[in-house]
């Protein structure tokens, strides 16, 4: 029963429409009023012409006596049309202003209305006031309509589009009442002369069906109009002197009721159809608004996203560059915060961070770039004080877990100025410096600030770094490395240098480590420290490693083909190699293609790689072991040491990091630890190798405590294949392979 009542209430319009639905229906009525007014104006002009044509002998003033209703309806239609056209023309206007042409139309119709009033009162002088008021009701309604329109033009022309639509709906109500009154009176007059009631029918359709009201309002309008008309129509029908008058009367009453029901259903149907269109349109508008919002706003924090930031930054730099600085803000240790408190708490944390940054840099472009990274474009004035304030506020959001803030900055003008000084170029004017600020792509500026911020990693005593000209050179070198690794591999800029590995007892050559070098036509000799960390950061390291592996296999093949015995070579493997390619398949393919003995290849895996994803590495390493490759644990003791690595994996050689020899002469603990590590390796069935040997004393000690292999500058720096072959040929290195 409740559902039925709810459905009836919904169908009859006893519910509150949304603002959008109300606006949609009001605007639809105004659009309908355009066509309705044009039809009424055309008909009334035609009726006036016809009326005047049939009464050529009347004085001009007498034309206002009998057909005043024509002029009333015509005037109301003109006002309705004028407002509707004005509304449509101003629909997309940013500012609404007075319409001179609309005011002129309103004043002219008001003058005509006054003339009709004067003639109306003059012709009916001596009539009772109540009767006079009753006959003048439509003139009064016209006066209200015209005055309401002129009041709108003079005082409310600048209101919002929504309020203008409400005002237009009020004017439509008056216009509809005039139309209904005209239809009733005209049809009553026609029926008295044995004509049809088509004028009443037409006006009812116009007023109650074409114009959209809530269904219960339409029912009220139709009921009142039909009742009012029936009250005057019934006596006329009964007065007919005909034997069939009673039957005709009964039939007309049935038709009249049927017509009322039909129009009621039509009005309800039209309303529901328009309401459904409004709901659908509102959903589309809402969806578009959400998409538009997402296009410029970060969904989580509500501040701008990076795309909107770029546009805002470009606008600022084009209009008022001044002394501007880009900031890249990184929330350090946020991942652990998420892990400990959950993602919901993490999201709330980021929202608070966004509010802090936005408030501190009020009025400046601020955005969340991604994850826990934020960017700002602000003035250089007091920037470090604001950064300090932001850092303190963020740290104090939650003191239960370590959180810190790192900020990198980039100032376009300052960077150019420093570059000019360093390169001894001619000085630049302030205008030229501003031009640089305008032309710099915000995305590039952000990336430079991000690069400065990245250099603060693991620097716990420093929280802010500026992007300088030196950093600029490093930055461009990094970008060059990432963008040219494929070209370097293809054109042979990547070369293999071999560093000797010797037996500790005899110092004879037992193998080499293959190390990558980049000999570039632009930057010259690039150190591994320049390109390996960059390639790892950008997940391109596998391209370098694969190139080194293939070069080593080809070199071993060439040495073998020349009739000589190659020395074993150890190859470095990165953790990313196992993620970015099928490492085992690649290596097996190279061994097969170049006919390399697997005993001549040693697989070096850095200890730090083994702590990240044991599942993938364990399977791959087990497969390599089964295939006959020797596995070496590289950089043991480099800062990531974990005895669990020795427990969980099976290695043939333990390679001890060179850091243990850095304080060999001054710190006796180094010798004790080295001795214990070598004993541990021996007890676990592994050979040991220590790198970084630079003195005879270090070599003697390591040999004495049982370290089997040594590597370091004392025995030779990394060198090209040709050079190490030359040293083998001249007896500098004597090869002694492990039996």
């Amino acid at each position: 029963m409740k559902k039925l009542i709810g459905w009836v209430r919904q169908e009859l319009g006893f519910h509150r429409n949304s603002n959008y639905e109300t606006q949609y229906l009001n605007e639809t009525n105004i659009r309908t009023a355009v066509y309705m007014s044009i039809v009424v104006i055309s008909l009334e002009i035609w009726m006036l012409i016809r009326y005047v044509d049939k009464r050529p002998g009347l004085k001009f003033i007498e034309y206002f006596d009998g057909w005043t209703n024509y002029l009333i309806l015509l005037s109301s239609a003109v006002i309705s049309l004028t407002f509707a056209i004005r509304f449509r023309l101003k629909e997309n206007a940013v500012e609404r202003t007075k319409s001179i042409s609309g005011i002129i139309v309103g004043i002219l119709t008001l003058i005509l209305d006054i003339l009709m009033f004067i003639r109306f009162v003059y012709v009916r002088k001596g009539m009772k006031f109540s009767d006079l008021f009753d006959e003048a009701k439509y003139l009064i309604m016209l006066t209200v309509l015209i005055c309401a329109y002129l009041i709108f033009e003079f005082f409310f022309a600048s209101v919002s589009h929504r309020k203008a639509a409400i005002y237009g709906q009020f004017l439509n109500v008056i216009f509809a009442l005039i139309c209904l009154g005209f239809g009733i009176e005209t049809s009553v007059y026609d029926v008295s002369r044995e004509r049809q009631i088509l004028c009443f029918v037409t006006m009812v359709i116009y007023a109650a069906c074409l114009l959209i009201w809530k269904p219960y309002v339409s029912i009220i309008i139709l009921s009142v109009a039909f009742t009012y008309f029936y009250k005057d129509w019934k006596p006329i029908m009964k007065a007919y002197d005909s034997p069939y008058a009673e039957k005709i009367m009964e039939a007309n009453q049935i038709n009249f009721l049927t017509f009322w029901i039909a129009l009621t259903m039509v009005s309800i149907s039209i309303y529901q159809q328009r309401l459904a269109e409004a709901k659908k349109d509102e959903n589309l508008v809402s969806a578009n608004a959400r998409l538009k919002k997402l296009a410029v706003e970060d969904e989580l924090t509500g501040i701008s996203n990076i795309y909107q930031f770029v546009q805002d930054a470009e606008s600022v730099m084009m209009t008022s560059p001044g002394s501007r600085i880009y900031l890249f803000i990184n929330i350090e240790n946020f991942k652990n915060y998420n892990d400990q408190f959950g993602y919901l708490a993490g999201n709330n944390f980021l929202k608070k961070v966004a509010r802090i940054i936005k408030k501190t840099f009020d009025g400046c472009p601020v955005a969340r770039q991604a994850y826990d990274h934020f960017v700002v474009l602000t003035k250089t004035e007091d920037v470090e004080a604001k950064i300090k304030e932001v850092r303190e506020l963020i740290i104090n959001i939650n003191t239960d877990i370590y959180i810190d803030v790192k900020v990198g900055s980039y100032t376009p003008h300052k960077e150019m100025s420093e570059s000019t000084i360093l390169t001894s170029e001619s000085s630049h004017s302030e205008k030229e410096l501003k031009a640089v600020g305008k032309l710099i792509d915000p995305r590039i500026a952000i990336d430079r600030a991000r690069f400065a911020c990245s250099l603060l990693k693991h620097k716990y005593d420093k929280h802010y770094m500026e992007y300088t000209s030196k950093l600029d050179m490093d930055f461009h070198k990094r970008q060059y490395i990432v963008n040219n690794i494929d070209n370097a591999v293809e054109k042979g800029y990547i070369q293999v240098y071999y560093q000797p590995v010797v037996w500790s007892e005899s110092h004879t050559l037992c193998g080499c480590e293959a190390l990558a070098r980049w000999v570039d036509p632009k930057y010259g000799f690039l150190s591994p420290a320049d390109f390996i960390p960059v390639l790892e950061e950008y997940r391109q390291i596998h391209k370098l490693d694969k190139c080194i592996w293939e070069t080593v296999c080809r070199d071993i093949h060439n040495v073998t083909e020349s009739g000589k015995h190659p020395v074993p070579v150890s190859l470095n493997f990165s953790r990313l190699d196992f993620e970015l390619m099928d490492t085992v398949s690649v290596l097996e393919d190279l061994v097969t293609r170049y006919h390399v003995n697997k005993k001549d290849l040693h697989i070096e895996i850095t200890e730090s790689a083994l702590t990240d994803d044991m599942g993938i590495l364990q399977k791959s390493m087990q497969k390599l072991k089964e295939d006959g490759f020797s596995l070496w644990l590289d950089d043991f003791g480099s800062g990531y040491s974990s005895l669990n690595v020795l427990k969980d994996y099976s290695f043939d050689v333990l390679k001890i990091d060179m850091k243990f020899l850095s304080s060999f002469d001054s710190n006796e603990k180094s010798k004790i630890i080295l001795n214990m590590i070598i004993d541990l390796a021996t007890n676990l069935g592994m050979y040991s190798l220590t790198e970084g040997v630079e003195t005879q004393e270090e070599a003697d000690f390591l040999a004495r405590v049982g370290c089997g292999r040594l590597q370091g500058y004392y025995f030779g720096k990394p060198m090209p294949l040709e050079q190490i072959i030359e040293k083998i040929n001249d007896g500098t290195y004597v090869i002694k392979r492990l039996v």
Side-chain angles (χ1 to χ4, degrees), residues 605 607 610 632-636 645-646 651 653-655:
I605 299 177
E607 181 194 9
L610 302 176
W632 292 17
L633 178 60
D634 191 16
D635 293 339
F636 185 82
V645 171
L646 301 179
F651 292 98
V653 174
L654 182 68
K655 194 170 183 180

Side-chain angles (χ1 to χ4, degrees), residues 35 134 545:
Y35 308 109
D134 183 62
D545 287 344

Side-chain angles (χ1 to χ4, degrees), residues 95 219 341 362 482:
E95 294 184 2
I219 293 172
F341 298 107
D362 186 37
V482 173

Side-chain angles (χ1 to χ4, degrees), residues 26-41 77 80-85 168 171-172 175 210-211:
N26 288 344
E27 290 183 9
T28 302
N29 274 351
I30 294 173
R31 285 194 294 270
T32 302
V34 173
Y35 308 109
M36 182 173 164
S37 301
I38 291 174
V39 172
V40 171
I41 290 170
S80 179
L81 179 63
T82 303
F83 180 87
I85 291 175
L171 298 181
N172 278 338
F175 180 42
L210 293 183
L211 294 176

Side-chain angles (χ1 to χ4, degrees), residues 536 541-542 545 549 572-579 583 604-606 609 617:
E536 286 184 335
I541 190 67
H542 63 294
D545 287 344
W549 302 344
N572 287 290
F573 280 61
S574 166
R575 172 182 58 83
L576 290 172
D577 291 334
F578 295 92
E579 292 183 18
T583 307
E604 287 194 23
I605 299 177
T606 307
L617 286 174

Side-chain angles (χ1 to χ4, degrees), residues 290 293-306 347 351 368:
R290 285 195 297 271
K293 187 178 181 182
L294 289 174
V296 300
E297 184 179 291
D298 177 59
E299 188 176 6
L300 174 63
T301 62
I303 63 175
S304 297
N305 60 22
I306 194 64
N347 288 343
K351 291 176 184 178
R368 178 180 176 227

Side-chain angles (χ1 to χ4, degrees), residues 298-343:
D298 177 59
E299 188 176 6
L300 174 63
T301 62
I303 63 175
S304 297
N305 60 22
I306 194 64
Y307 305 106
Q308 182 63 33
F309 177 86
V310 169
Q311 295 180 27
D312 293 342
E314 287 176 342
S315 176
V316 169
M317 296 304 287
M318 288 299 293
T319 55
S320 56
S323 298
R324 301 282 177 174
I325 185 169
Y326 288 89
L327 303 178
F328 181 91
I329 302 173
N330 176 49
I331 311 302
E332 196 169 68
N333 204 41
F334 178 70
K335 183 179 182 299
N336 288 339
Y337 186 98
N338 258 343
D339 293 341
Q340 181 165 338
F341 298 107
Y343 285 100

Side-chain angles (χ1 to χ4, degrees), residues 485-501:
I485 179 61
D486 291 322
N487 187 55
V489 169
E490 180 182 346
K491 295 188 176 180
Y493 302 153
I494 303 298
Q495 298 182 12
V496 176
Y497 275 44
Y498 295 91
Q499 185 174 23
V501 178

